[in-house]
Amino acid sequence: MSEASKPHDQTVIELLREDPEFANEYLAAALEEVDQPGGREALLAALRQIAEAQGMTEVAERAGIKRESLYRALSPKGNPTIKTLLAVTKAVGLKLSVHRQAAA
C-alpha cells in the first residue's frame, strides 16, 4: 500500500506513535467539537486511535478494563461510562479538564 493510499485511522495512529504529545492537541480538538454533529463519534475515534497508538492491550490493562470491553466502549456506537472514560484517559497519560466557555 502506498503512502497516498493509507487509511486515515492508520495515518493518525502512526502520527500519534511518532509524536505522543500530539495526543494532547488531538483529544482537546475532539472535545471542542463534541457538541457538533458527529462530534461524539469523533471523540470516541480520537480516544480509540490514541489507545491503539499506545497498544490497546496495554491501555486496557492500565485502565483495568478488558480489551474487548475497551474496543466496544470506544467503537463508533460505544457509550462509555464516565468511569471508563476517565480510566482510559488516565491510562493513555491524559487528563480531562474543564474551562468556562466564552460568552455567546
Side-chain angles (χ1 to χ4, degrees):
M1 183 177 291
S2 73
E3 289 292 317
S5 64
K6 273 192 214 173
H8 178 264
D9 279 354
Q10 182 181 349
T11 301
V12 171
I13 291 166
E14 287 175 11
L15 286 171
L16 289 162
R17 283 185 183 135
E18 292 168 9
D19 182 10
E21 292 297 315
F22 175 54
N24 304 352
E25 297 168 31
Y26 190 53
L27 191 59
L31 280 167
E32 286 290 324
E33 301 295 322
V34 77
D35 290 332
Q36 301 300 316
R40 188 182 144 306
E41 293 82 2
L43 174 62
L44 292 175
L47 197 51
R48 183 178 62 252
Q49 290 162 338
I50 292 167
E52 287 180 3
Q54 294 185 18
M56 198 64 100
T57 300
E58 293 80 7
V59 170
E61 287 174 4
R62 291 192 304 259
I65 301 169
K66 291 183 179 178
R67 187 176 56 85
E68 296 79 14
S69 297
L70 182 56
Y71 273 110
R72 192 169 31 259
L74 300 180
S75 73
K77 294 190 186 271
N79 191 16
T81 64
I82 189 71
K83 179 180 177 183
T84 299
L85 185 63
L86 294 173
V88 173
T89 54
K90 182 177 181 181
V92 298
L94 299 173
K95 181 179 178 181
L96 295 179
S97 65
V98 176
H99 63 276
R100 185 164 303 279
Q101 284 184 311

